[in-house]
Structures are given as structure tokens and as C-alpha cells.
Amino acid sequence: GRLDDRIALVTGAAGIGRAISEKLAAEGATVVATDVDGDTAQATAAALGGSALGLTTDVASRASVEEMSDAKEGNHAVEP
């Protein structure tokens, strides 16, 4: 697809965020779906399959965003 070998970070894994995640995955991107509700992020990643990753992240918190970045970097499954 157009986004093969790309990583897409989507904040908000429900509703519009889930739809965006699905579209990006369909185009070949490896999706990192984040949400303040970790169960929602995990459910979106599970629905996408492949090497999608779901992470609990509060984008209003710098510490939470840094933790998300560290988790993404440390997860070799997210490499495109």
C-alpha cells in the first residue's frame, strides 16, 4: 500500500480515531493506537491485527506522552 514501511501514531483510539486507524492499516501502515482508556487502545490494535500496538496515553500529560514514545521505541514489533 501507499503507507508500507511507515508507522502511524493515532491519538484517540475510539470513534473517528479507530476509523482513521483502520484506514491507515488498510493502506499498509503499522499503527500505534493510543487512548486514555487503555482497553480501548488495546481493542483497536487487536482489531487491526498485524503489528498494531495499543497504548494507554494521556496526550495532556508530558510524562504520559514520553512513556508512550519510549514504549513505541522499545517495541520491536512496531518496526515497519
Side-chain angles (χ1 to χ4, degrees):
R2 294 182 324 152
L3 299 176
D4 289 348
D5 299 324
R6 303 289 182 148
I7 297 173
L9 173 65
V10 179
T11 58
I16 293 171
R18 184 172 178 137
I20 290 168
S21 295
E22 291 168 349
K23 179 65 174 170
L24 290 167
E27 291 289 337
T30 299
V31 176
V32 178
T34 68
D35 200 282
V36 293
D37 180 346
D39 291 339
T40 298
Q42 290 291 331
T44 295
L48 296 175
S51 56
L53 179 63
L55 297 173
T56 305
T57 307
D58 178 358
V59 296
S61 164
R62 181 182 191 102
S64 181
V65 171
E66 288 173 352
E67 288 174 17
M68 176 272 303
S69 180
D70 291 345
K72 181 194 72 65
E73 292 297 327
N75 188 322
H76 298 290
V78 177
E79 293 182 25

